[in-house]
Amino acid sequence: MDYIEKNVNEFVKDRFRELIEDLNVITYEFDLQLYRFTYVSRMAGSILGYPTSEWFKKGFWFEHLHEDDKKWASHFSRYNISLNKDHEFEYRMIASDGTIKWFKDIVSIVHVNNNPVSLYGVLIDMTDRKQTEKELLESKERYKTLVEQQTEMITRWKPDGTFTYVNEVYCNFFSKSREELIGKRYIPQMPVEDLERFSKFFMSLDKNNPVGQFTHRVIRPDGEIRWLRWTDTAILDDAGNIIEYQTVGRDITARKRAETALKESEQQLQLIFENAPIGMALTDLSKSFIKVNKAYCDIIGYSKKELLTMTYEEITHPDDVKIENEILDQTIDGTGNNFHFEKRYIHKNGRIVYVDLRLNVLRDTLGKPYQQIAQVVDITERIIAEQKLKQTQARLTAVLNNLPNVAIYEYGEEINFVSENIMDILGYPAEEFMKNESLFSNLMLEDDIVIYDDKVARWKRDGAKGVISNEIRVRNKQNEIIWLEDHMYEVNPGNARPYYSGIMIDITQQKKTQLKMLETETKLSAILRNLPKVIIYQSGMGNDFISDNIEEMIGYTPAEVLESKYFFGSIMHQEDMMAVKNSISNWHKAGDEGILNMEFRVKKKNGGYIWIEDHMFKVKVNEKESYLSGILIDITDRKLAEQKISRSLKEKELLLKEIHHRVKNNLQVVSSLLKLQSGYVKDESSLDLLIDSQNRVRSMALVHQKLYQSKDFSEIDFPEYLKQLSEHLLNVFKTKSGDISVIVNSADVNLGIDLAVPCGLILNELISNSLKYAFPEGKKGEIKIDFKFTDEIYEIIISDNGIGFPDEINYKETKSLGLQLVNTLVGQIDGNITMENKAGTTFNIRFGKK
């Protein structure tokens, strides 16, 4: 191997090792037969803290795995090795200082004859919240090249292949003696394709091309294939004919292997660079990008093509440019080679990206920097989480200091803290508790101290796992008993001694409330026991309940009732089933608002039926959870009483109907008597008096007729009454009325008997007057009756288009019996009457409801 070639290989090897050793990862070689590491990079000591000698001990890897990862990690590795399968996985290891380190292990398997013999791997430190998951993967195989010191082989031989001279190096290389070679022909064994090129090469040598170089492979007697590089010279006679060849060769197998290894290493390094889980970028001293990987592009948002036309300053946050410039200055002046810092990029979409950046400076053999390689981990989520954590801690501190019934404490070998609001709970300032560690124990009630100490001691013996909760009583400064709810847990910070932290909540008021609730429940239970006809129930959320006295009501025990979800449906009377279902359905449609009241019959265990009144309502625990609760009341006695009253009412209704019917008949008899009497009266004025009396009686009889025909016997259909009354009067006065029509416009209103009778008499008088006097000598005309009800006021308007009311007569002070009766009746119903004498006569009567 010549001097230049050796220096080139050494330079490439050193540069590759320098790049690997400076990366923040552990590269290793693990022998599967020895079951130990045979090589680890120098970062192994700085990351886990164990010297290299410890790493090389058998079983080091398994022994330092985290206890929870030992079983699955070793099984996972053995399984993949058994399949000759490269693999990667994440697990934890215990460092020399006891801390836990997370690693991503990328493993390559080296096998011979399809049998695994060793592992080459890269351990990436994932500890910093696994933000270093994108660490550069080390090369799966260490770059190893055996450099052997070579000397040239010299031979001379004739064109027919007969050796005339060989040196010792040649003999040793081919394991031949000079006697075996000189004077004989010998062509080393070589691959067929090389042998063909070998023949062609020597045929190409002539007087015009006497010197040439040829490289080929040979197969040594032991089967090893070696590469040889020859410089061949054709020795010519005076005529220019080749009479002999002189060859000088050297073994270049090491160089060939080095070239192959370097090519493989560069390919592997390129693969690692391109596929590294962390962002990687190669830049020059002008800040321009030379190479970037996919992960880096994903972090920044720009494509490779875009970044290779940019500088890293263009994507750096303006406030961080100064830091980058200072680092570049240190790189150039030689004061810095490796840098680790956090900075901000501006993503392509404009958002800020926080990164953890490790920068390694690449220098030439003279120590002059020429490039920088950056390893970038996106820590945006971590930074945002830390910012949110700080905000949360600030809010929590503010909340805790303003919650008088909550206090926080911490205690241990190196820590002793109590929050200030302990003063609000016990009346002692926090400083007193921190100065006197036994103060709190002295304030506890003796009975609670024994229970508390025993429970805490058992919790610590079991490993202090989870949170331990206690309720304890202490005396405050005023010697009052305070109930505290204590929640304590162990804190293991990793880099410090463990300590205990907890929260104390003043639950004194809650305890008092619970006591009151217990008293209330006791009283309620006593009440329920003594009220056999009132049942309380609850259904839903897995807490179905019905009070014990249900058995006294229907004969079934609570257990029998709660056994079936639809128990009451199974014992409900069939005639009540549909009404109950409709009530529940309508209640659900209305959003389960208010209380649903239902009455239905259920069959007792002994076979009889009882009436139950159900008052059901929904109790909302929160937005999503609710249950049904209610009260069942035995109303059988009430129902029997209601049925008895109903029968009595029906009897009274029949009696009242009969009374109205008889009154109406009696009035009809009076009316008939008056009509008969009128047949014997010859005097016209006396006849008119009898007819008027008959009409008045008829108007009252019509009211009673309508009453016994109505449903409730207290009101009549007044529009229908007006219609029949007007038809009757038209019929009575048909000889005088001529061509007169009566028009009735009435609101759909019912009137009670106390208003119907006087109103009927008033209408009888006013309509009769119009029929008798408004249209003399058979004059054609119209009488209009309007009945209105507006704003609780009744209004009756009787109008005609006749000759009008005489001006000389005052309708309120007339001697006419009919008008006197009208005025009297208007006063009787607390109304008022007005008259308008234009284009006929109009009477307006207004009165209120009674």
PDB file of all heavy atoms in Angstrom, residues 569-585:
ATOM      1  N   GLY A 569     -95.963  -2.823  36.438  1.00  0.00           N
ATOM      2  CA  GLY A 569     -96.711  -3.066  35.210  1.00  0.00           C
ATOM      3  C   GLY A 569     -97.358  -4.444  35.209  1.00  0.00           C
ATOM      4  O   GLY A 569     -98.437  -4.643  34.635  1.00  0.00           O
ATOM      5  N   SER A 570     -96.702  -5.408  35.879  1.00  0.00           N
ATOM      6  CA  SER A 570     -97.241  -6.775  35.893  1.00  0.00           C
ATOM      7  C   SER A 570     -98.439  -6.925  36.819  1.00  0.00           C
ATOM      8  O   SER A 570     -99.219  -7.873  36.678  1.00  0.00           O
ATOM      9  CB  SER A 570     -96.135  -7.756  36.310  1.00  0.00           C
ATOM     10  OG  SER A 570     -95.753  -7.537  37.654  1.00  0.00           O
ATOM     11  N   ILE A 571     -98.609  -6.006  37.802  1.00  0.00           N
ATOM     12  CA  ILE A 571     -99.739  -6.139  38.736  1.00  0.00           C
ATOM     13  C   ILE A 571    -100.757  -5.013  38.545  1.00  0.00           C
ATOM     14  O   ILE A 571    -101.707  -4.900  39.317  1.00  0.00           O
ATOM     15  CB  ILE A 571     -99.237  -6.171  40.197  1.00  0.00           C
ATOM     16  CG1 ILE A 571     -98.560  -4.840  40.569  1.00  0.00           C
ATOM     17  CG2 ILE A 571     -98.300  -7.336  40.440  1.00  0.00           C
ATOM     18  CD1 ILE A 571     -98.213  -4.728  42.050  1.00  0.00           C
ATOM     19  N   MET A 572    -100.555  -4.180  37.508  1.00  0.00           N
ATOM     20  CA  MET A 572    -101.466  -3.051  37.272  1.00  0.00           C
ATOM     21  C   MET A 572    -102.753  -3.544  36.606  1.00  0.00           C
ATOM     22  O   MET A 572    -102.738  -4.461  35.779  1.00  0.00           O
ATOM     23  CB  MET A 572    -100.778  -2.005  36.389  1.00  0.00           C
ATOM     24  CG  MET A 572    -101.553  -0.709  36.235  1.00  0.00           C
ATOM     25  SD  MET A 572    -100.633   0.485  35.208  1.00  0.00           S
ATOM     26  CE  MET A 572     -99.203   0.780  36.231  1.00  0.00           C
ATOM     27  N   HIS A 573    -103.851  -2.897  36.960  1.00  0.00           N
ATOM     28  CA  HIS A 573    -105.154  -3.226  36.367  1.00  0.00           C
ATOM     29  C   HIS A 573    -105.115  -2.915  34.875  1.00  0.00           C
ATOM     30  O   HIS A 573    -104.623  -1.864  34.456  1.00  0.00           O
ATOM     31  CB  HIS A 573    -106.256  -2.403  37.054  1.00  0.00           C
ATOM     32  CG  HIS A 573    -107.633  -2.957  36.824  1.00  0.00           C
ATOM     33  ND1 HIS A 573    -108.262  -2.906  35.599  1.00  0.00           N
ATOM     34  CD2 HIS A 573    -108.511  -3.585  37.677  1.00  0.00           C
ATOM     35  CE1 HIS A 573    -109.457  -3.452  35.686  1.00  0.00           C
ATOM     36  NE2 HIS A 573    -109.635  -3.877  36.943  1.00  0.00           N
ATOM     37  N   GLN A 574    -105.623  -3.831  34.058  1.00  0.00           N
ATOM     38  CA  GLN A 574    -105.559  -3.672  32.605  1.00  0.00           C
ATOM     39  C   GLN A 574    -106.250  -2.404  32.127  1.00  0.00           C
ATOM     40  O   GLN A 574    -105.815  -1.763  31.170  1.00  0.00           O
ATOM     41  CB  GLN A 574    -106.191  -4.892  31.919  1.00  0.00           C
ATOM     42  CG  GLN A 574    -105.356  -6.146  32.010  1.00  0.00           C
ATOM     43  CD  GLN A 574    -104.019  -6.004  31.295  1.00  0.00           C
ATOM     44  OE1 GLN A 574    -103.943  -5.426  30.221  1.00  0.00           O
ATOM     45  NE2 GLN A 574    -102.962  -6.514  31.920  1.00  0.00           N
ATOM     46  N   GLU A 575    -107.312  -1.981  32.796  1.00  0.00           N
ATOM     47  CA  GLU A 575    -108.052  -0.792  32.354  1.00  0.00           C
ATOM     48  C   GLU A 575    -107.234   0.491  32.569  1.00  0.00           C
ATOM     49  O   GLU A 575    -107.519   1.515  31.931  1.00  0.00           O
ATOM     50  CB  GLU A 575    -109.384  -0.700  33.115  1.00  0.00           C
ATOM     51  CG  GLU A 575    -110.349  -1.815  32.769  1.00  0.00           C
ATOM     52  CD  GLU A 575    -111.643  -1.715  33.575  1.00  0.00           C
ATOM     53  OE1 GLU A 575    -111.766  -0.759  34.378  1.00  0.00           O
ATOM     54  OE2 GLU A 575    -112.515  -2.592  33.409  1.00  0.00           O
ATOM     55  N   ASP A 576    -106.257   0.448  33.462  1.00  0.00           N
ATOM     56  CA  ASP A 576    -105.451   1.642  33.760  1.00  0.00           C
ATOM     57  C   ASP A 576    -104.147   1.664  32.973  1.00  0.00           C
ATOM     58  O   ASP A 576    -103.442   2.682  32.959  1.00  0.00           O
ATOM     59  CB  ASP A 576    -105.127   1.699  35.267  1.00  0.00           C
ATOM     60  CG  ASP A 576    -106.389   1.757  36.111  1.00  0.00           C
ATOM     61  OD1 ASP A 576    -107.409   2.216  35.568  1.00  0.00           O
ATOM     62  OD2 ASP A 576    -106.345   1.375  37.288  1.00  0.00           O
ATOM     63  N   MET A 577    -103.790   0.561  32.333  1.00  0.00           N
ATOM     64  CA  MET A 577    -102.470   0.432  31.699  1.00  0.00           C
ATOM     65  C   MET A 577    -102.236   1.483  30.620  1.00  0.00           C
ATOM     66  O   MET A 577    -101.211   2.157  30.598  1.00  0.00           O
ATOM     67  CB  MET A 577    -102.331  -0.973  31.101  1.00  0.00           C
ATOM     68  CG  MET A 577    -100.935  -1.294  30.598  1.00  0.00           C
ATOM     69  SD  MET A 577     -99.806  -1.653  31.940  1.00  0.00           S
ATOM     70  CE  MET A 577    -100.427  -3.273  32.414  1.00  0.00           C
ATOM     71  N   MET A 578    -103.188   1.662  29.710  1.00  0.00           N
ATOM     72  CA  MET A 578    -102.997   2.588  28.593  1.00  0.00           C
ATOM     73  C   MET A 578    -102.869   4.030  29.065  1.00  0.00           C
ATOM     74  O   MET A 578    -102.029   4.796  28.583  1.00  0.00           O
ATOM     75  CB  MET A 578    -104.163   2.445  27.608  1.00  0.00           C
ATOM     76  CG  MET A 578    -103.966   3.264  26.329  1.00  0.00           C
ATOM     77  SD  MET A 578    -102.415   2.833  25.454  1.00  0.00           S
ATOM     78  CE  MET A 578    -102.819   1.137  24.985  1.00  0.00           C
ATOM     79  N   ALA A 579    -103.688   4.427  30.040  1.00  0.00           N
ATOM     80  CA  ALA A 579    -103.629   5.802  30.552  1.00  0.00           C
ATOM     81  C   ALA A 579    -102.268   6.079  31.190  1.00  0.00           C
ATOM     82  O   ALA A 579    -101.689   7.169  31.013  1.00  0.00           O
ATOM     83  CB  ALA A 579    -104.747   6.029  31.561  1.00  0.00           C
ATOM     84  N   VAL A 580    -101.739   5.111  31.931  1.00  0.00           N
ATOM     85  CA  VAL A 580    -100.430   5.274  32.579  1.00  0.00           C
ATOM     86  C   VAL A 580     -99.335   5.402  31.525  1.00  0.00           C
ATOM     87  O   VAL A 580     -98.468   6.266  31.608  1.00  0.00           O
ATOM     88  CB  VAL A 580    -100.150   4.096  33.534  1.00  0.00           C
ATOM     89  CG1 VAL A 580     -98.693   4.119  33.992  1.00  0.00           C
ATOM     90  CG2 VAL A 580    -101.081   4.159  34.732  1.00  0.00           C
ATOM     91  N   LYS A 581     -99.383   4.528  30.484  1.00  0.00           N
ATOM     92  CA  LYS A 581     -98.366   4.579  29.426  1.00  0.00           C
ATOM     93  C   LYS A 581     -98.400   5.924  28.709  1.00  0.00           C
ATOM     94  O   LYS A 581     -97.361   6.525  28.425  1.00  0.00           O
ATOM     95  CB  LYS A 581     -98.596   3.454  28.425  1.00  0.00           C
ATOM     96  CG  LYS A 581     -98.211   2.084  28.947  1.00  0.00           C
ATOM     97  CD  LYS A 581     -98.403   1.019  27.871  1.00  0.00           C
ATOM     98  CE  LYS A 581     -97.964  -0.348  28.362  1.00  0.00           C
ATOM     99  NZ  LYS A 581     -98.163  -1.401  27.321  1.00  0.00           N
ATOM    100  N   ASN A 582     -99.586   6.431  28.419  1.00  0.00           N
ATOM    101  CA  ASN A 582     -99.707   7.728  27.729  1.00  0.00           C
ATOM    102  C   ASN A 582     -99.179   8.860  28.603  1.00  0.00           C
ATOM    103  O   ASN A 582     -98.523   9.791  28.114  1.00  0.00           O
ATOM    104  CB  ASN A 582    -101.166   7.992  27.358  1.00  0.00           C
ATOM    105  CG  ASN A 582    -101.653   7.062  26.259  1.00  0.00           C
ATOM    106  OD1 ASN A 582    -100.845   6.514  25.500  1.00  0.00           O
ATOM    107  ND2 ASN A 582    -102.959   6.860  26.163  1.00  0.00           N
ATOM    108  N   SER A 583     -99.467   8.814  29.894  1.00  0.00           N
ATOM    109  CA  SER A 583     -98.986   9.859  30.807  1.00  0.00           C
ATOM    110  C   SER A 583     -97.466   9.890  30.855  1.00  0.00           C
ATOM    111  O   SER A 583     -96.842  10.962  30.784  1.00  0.00           O
ATOM    112  CB  SER A 583     -99.545   9.627  32.214  1.00  0.00           C
ATOM    113  OG  SER A 583    -100.949   9.741  32.228  1.00  0.00           O
ATOM    114  N   ILE A 584     -96.858   8.699  30.960  1.00  0.00           N
ATOM    115  CA  ILE A 584     -95.382   8.627  31.003  1.00  0.00           C
ATOM    116  C   ILE A 584     -94.794   9.093  29.687  1.00  0.00           C
ATOM    117  O   ILE A 584     -93.798   9.832  29.652  1.00  0.00           O
ATOM    118  CB  ILE A 584     -94.926   7.191  31.330  1.00  0.00           C
ATOM    119  CG1 ILE A 584     -95.368   6.828  32.758  1.00  0.00           C
ATOM    120  CG2 ILE A 584     -93.416   7.051  31.184  1.00  0.00           C
ATOM    121  CD1 ILE A 584     -95.097   5.382  33.138  1.00  0.00           C
ATOM    122  N   SER A 585     -95.378   8.693  28.565  1.00  0.00           N
ATOM    123  CA  SER A 585     -94.872   9.093  27.249  1.00  0.00           C
ATOM    124  C   SER A 585     -94.933  10.613  27.083  1.00  0.00           C
ATOM    125  O   SER A 585     -93.969  11.234  26.625  1.00  0.00           O
ATOM    126  CB  SER A 585     -95.692   8.415  26.155  1.00  0.00           C
ATOM    127  OG  SER A 585     -95.295   8.845  24.874  1.00  0.00           O
TER     128      SER A 585
END
